[in-house]
Amino acid sequence: MPHTYETDGARIYAESFATIRAEADLSPFTPDEEPVVVRMIHAAGLVGLERDVRLTPDFAQAARAALEAGAPILCDARMVSEGITRPRLPAANEVICTLQDARVPDLAKRMGNTRSAAALELWRDRLEGAVVAIGNAPTALFHLLDMLEDPACPRPAAIVGCPVGFVGAAEAKAALIADPPAPALVVAGRLGGSAITVAAINALASRKE
């Protein structure tokens, strides 16, 4: 016997978001923040993720305004940059990932750091007013924070900092949200990843579900 299951894509999509809103505790979030958190839960398949979402009060508005003004999106990994849905972007925003740049391996050796961290050095001329999306490497988020300790370093408009992992991820996100150098969003602890980060960016890019 064939399996019986829902085959209407639009109905699956709508029911998924309805289920999240029925089961998740979204009461702490403003109307601007709620669609972002819902998409993150959807990407993770995890009701309860909302309990670990931390964001500055000005994050959603600042990130949306930057995207609507044409800000580039700077990504730490191709999994993040490739996941962003281009038709959702409000101003044909440029999506940039410098990890594969030919200069990065030598730069990483000179810095004594990972390629993910070294790749951020190539962001300096694009960082002013940008939306940063870090979903993979804790070292990238730590290095960004180190860069932004310099008052001369350009400031991004907003930071989605959701690297995943067992070494450094929780600490990097805690450091970001404890003393944010720009409006910021994190998932506390070890949870995170490219899919969750992409979901946040896609929700900020367009209110359409």
Side-chain angles (χ1 to χ4, degrees):
M1 286 286 292
H3 292 283
T4 301
Y5 57 95
E6 181 59 71
T7 59
D8 185 309
R11 192 173 297 165
I12 292 169
Y13 200 72
E15 186 174 336
S16 295
F17 281 88
T19 300
I20 291 167
R21 289 193 167 92
E23 295 183 3
D25 179 11
L26 302 170
S27 60
F29 303 104
T30 69
D32 275 336
E33 297 163 354
E34 186 256 19
V36 179
V37 179
V38 167
R39 273 197 168 267
M40 293 169 72
I41 294 169
H42 182 255
L46 180 62
V47 169
L49 181 74
E50 72 276 7
R51 293 192 291 269
D52 294 317
V53 174
R54 310 279 187 272
L55 67 173
T56 59
D58 52 349
F59 169 78
Q61 291 182 336
R64 283 201 178 97
L67 292 173
E68 289 168 3
I73 305 168
L74 305 179
C75 307
D76 70 321
R78 287 280 303 276
M79 288 178 68
V80 177
S81 62
E82 294 302 313
I84 294 169
T85 305
R86 296 329 192 250
R88 294 182 68 90
L89 296 175
N93 308 72
E94 190 174 3
V95 180
I96 299 167
C97 177
T98 54
L99 185 59
Q100 304 302 317
D101 189 287
R103 295 169 287 179
V104 167
D106 285 342
L107 185 56
K109 288 179 183 178
R110 292 199 302 272
M111 292 170 56
N113 208 329
T114 66
R115 288 188 300 136
S116 295
L120 272 63
E121 288 294 323
L122 305 181
W123 290 4
R124 288 184 182 270
D125 63 344
R126 304 302 303 274
L127 195 55
E128 183 70 38
V131 174
V132 171
I134 296 179
N136 182 61
T139 57
L141 182 53
F142 271 128
H143 189 61
L144 177 66
L145 294 175
D146 288 343
M147 289 167 60
L148 293 174
E149 286 184 0
D150 180 357
C153 184
R155 302 279 118 176
I159 302 169
V160 177
C162 296
V164 62
F166 295 93
V167 179
E171 293 83 357
K173 290 179 285 188
L176 170 59
I177 208 66
D179 187 17
L185 163 70
V186 305
V187 175
R190 295 170 173 176
L191 288 173
S194 298
I196 289 173
T197 303
V198 165
I201 295 293
N202 285 337
L204 293 162
S206 173
R207 294 179 184 273
K208 179 183 178 182
E209 288 195 341

